[in-house]
Amino acid sequence: MKKTIVVSAVNLRKGGTLTILRNCLEYLSTLAQTGDYRIVALVHKKELAFYPGIEYIEMPWTIRNWLLRLWCEYVTMYRISKQLSPVYLWFSLHDSTPNVKAQKRAVYCHNPFPFYQWKWRELFLNYKIVCFAWFSKYIYRINIHKNQWILVQQEWIREAFLRMFRLNPKQIIVTLPASASTYCSSETFQKQHSAYHFLFASYGDIHKNFETVCRAAKLLEKEIGTDKFKVILTISGTENRYARWLYKRWGNVRSIDFAGFMSKEKLYDTYAGTDCLLFPSRVETWGLPISEFAAFGKPMLLADLPYAHETAAGSGRTAFFNPEKPEELKEQMKRLVEGDTSFLKALPETDIPQPVTRTWEELFSLLSD
């Protein structure tokens, strides 16, 4: 008899979380094609992550508001679990633990907002993230002890969960994202500029802290002029209220390029033509651009926070700055523009206690124990 594995991921639609969904279903697709497993995926729309051998249940209505999302998690999914019974493993990829009937349960916790220190002005720029930061710790708490396994991406989150929810350390798996691969880049892009290029690659979410980069760039431009450096941002300034606020305040800074969204291929070309990565985000569970850019062996200036230290482990040319002090970032940027790299350090690899997995094969082998 086939074992049924259900993956619930109805709110994963963009960015790193969508990458996680795709990688997960890509691996489970190979299991489905062996004939030993039935794989069912609950998703927003199947076009976002379509792989052969997987049965899809589309649930686009869950994004309309949080009441519908909660109804889905604790009512609709229970009905689905009974219809699919017996379910061998129910794997929730989006933080919350749904009310379901299953032999085993696991939840992937990639939302860092229970640990986010929000600011009052953010209520006006993006009140949803402030509200989410406030109540997400309570959403995490519901049913969390019914899971056999809780998955996180970094050791600091495991330690925080142990304190916050009083879990068994052996229940929490540090699931490391796959190593970044490098795309071929165009020679013309690499050689077409003489100014020192910085890049901050991210979506225009308020916790990403674009304002620290913008303030630092404005200070540096005032000090050394406009022709010696360029800061590339992967937002256009039109995406949302926060992005519009950023563009209104710093859109006239000549050294800042509001370049807009980039495809993965274009982003890797931009990595190849960039001299240094900036990453000022106030909270992350990983920080994918850090590990992607680290593969190029170039300088990185990162927020001095636990997530960045773990993600950058093993990188060769890295420095950290206080994400609330643009003057500190400006000084580091200035040193790089002037050719001073003496403050950059090689970071040692981190030794992460078990249980820890590095591939989806390792993970599902552990979940099946």
Side-chain angles (χ1 to χ4, degrees):
M1 182 178 179
K2 291 183 179 181
K3 292 181 177 179
T4 299
I5 296 177
V6 179
V7 176
S8 55
V10 296
N11 72 325
L12 305 190
R13 296 176 290 126
K14 66 177 185 177
T17 57
L18 179 57
T19 299
I20 290 170
L21 171 61
R22 288 171 174 167
N23 292 343
C24 175
L25 294 186
E26 182 179 23
Y27 172 72
L28 289 178
S29 174
T30 64
L31 288 188
Q33 292 176 71
T34 66
D36 296 326
Y37 292 89
R38 178 191 183 192
I39 309 298
V40 181
L42 280 56
V43 296
H44 176 69
K45 286 188 176 295
K46 65 182 179 182
E47 303 91 69
L48 293 172
F50 184 79
Y51 296 94
I54 295 178
E55 300 174 35
Y56 289 88
I57 299 176
E58 296 180 297
M59 308 178 77
W61 53 270
T62 61
I63 67 169
R64 294 176 195 165
N65 58 58
W66 265 98
L67 288 177
L68 287 176
R69 171 69 194 283
L70 294 174
W71 180 269
C72 174
E73 290 288 321
Y74 304 118
V75 178
T76 306
M77 289 191 185
Y78 180 75
R79 293 172 180 167
I80 292 173
S81 70
K82 290 181 68 176
Q83 292 168 2
L84 297 175
S85 183
V87 174
Y88 173 67
L89 170 65
W90 189 288
F91 186 21
S92 173
L93 269 182
H94 44 39
D95 308 308
S96 55
T97 304
N99 183 34
V100 296
K101 295 188 69 173
Q103 183 179 340
K104 296 183 178 183
R105 296 199 228 176
V107 61
Y108 196 128
C109 298
H110 47 70
N111 162 29
F113 288 109
F115 317 104
Y116 181 45
Q117 301 298 313
W118 54 272
K119 299 180 179 181
W120 283 106
R121 71 160 180 266
E122 295 173 9
L123 280 171
F124 304 98
L125 295 174
N126 193 329
Y127 72 91
K128 290 182 179 180
I129 283 185
V130 174
C131 293
F132 194 48
W134 183 77
F135 72 78
S136 57
K137 67 180 67 177
Y138 302 105
I139 295 297
Y140 265 147
R141 192 179 301 276
I142 298 173
N143 292 336
I144 194 169
H145 290 93
K146 293 183 179 181
N147 292 289
Q148 279 72 32
W149 301 104
I150 295 94
L151 283 60
V152 298
Q153 290 187 331
Q154 294 190 324
E155 179 62 21
W156 77 267
I157 305 177
R158 172 158 56 188
E159 293 174 357
F161 269 48
L162 290 174
R163 293 191 299 269
M164 185 176 290
F165 303 120
R166 298 183 180 181
L167 296 163
N168 183 339
K170 296 181 179 180
Q171 280 183 276
I172 307 179
I173 306 171
V174 175
T175 306
L176 300 175
S179 299
S181 58
T182 305
Y183 280 82
C184 294
S185 57
S186 63
E187 284 294 314
T188 54
F189 188 91
Q190 295 181 61
K191 296 179 180 179
Q192 67 184 349
H193 63 79
S194 57
Y196 197 99
H197 274 45
F198 298 94
L199 169 69
F200 177 29
S202 185
Y203 287 97
D205 294 327
I206 200 164
H207 65 285
K208 299 297 185 177
N209 193 22
F210 278 86
E211 59 267 32
T212 288
V213 170
C214 292
R215 288 189 174 105
K218 185 175 182 178
L219 290 170
L220 185 57
E221 180 180 295
K222 184 177 181 180
E223 189 168 331
I224 68 173
T226 61
D227 59 343
K228 295 182 179 179
F229 77 100
K230 178 73 71 175
V231 175
I232 302 169
L233 308 178
T234 57
I235 58 170
S236 66
T238 61
E239 290 84 352
N240 53 36
R241 183 179 294 181
Y242 174 57
R244 291 191 293 272
W245 175 76
L246 291 167
Y247 190 81
K248 183 178 180 180
R249 295 199 61 175
W250 292 287
N252 63 345
V253 179
R254 292 177 60 188
S255 300
I256 300 177
D257 179 8
F258 285 81
F261 172 79
M262 297 181 184
S263 66
K264 192 162 189 177
E265 292 79 5
K266 184 177 179 180
L267 179 60
Y268 270 79
D269 258 359
T270 307
Y271 284 157
T274 294
D275 298 292
C276 174
L277 180 78
L278 307 176
F279 207 81
S281 180
R282 294 190 182 95
V283 67
E284 298 284 336
T285 49
W286 186 257
L288 184 60
I290 298 174
S291 51
E292 289 177 339
F293 194 81
F296 289 83
K298 299 179 182 181
M300 298 191 295
L301 304 180
L302 313 177
D304 191 7
L305 294 170
Y307 81 83
H309 283 268
E310 284 198 47
T311 306
S315 62
R317 306 172 70 192
T318 303
F320 298 93
F321 62 91
N322 186 326
E324 304 302 333
K325 294 184 177 181
E327 299 84 0
E328 186 177 323
L329 174 58
K330 183 266 294 184
E331 286 299 320
Q332 292 182 347
M333 293 168 66
K334 180 182 177 183
R335 292 176 71 174
L336 290 178
V337 171
E338 294 176 346
D340 178 6
T341 60
S342 61
F343 66 103
L344 301 175
K345 305 296 182 185
L347 305 182
E349 296 281 357
T350 54
D351 184 19
I352 303 174
Q354 294 292 333
V356 57
T357 63
R358 290 171 173 80
T359 67
W360 287 100
E361 184 177 6
E362 288 180 5
L363 176 61
F364 277 98
S365 175
L366 192 55
L367 296 181
S368 300
D369 284 349

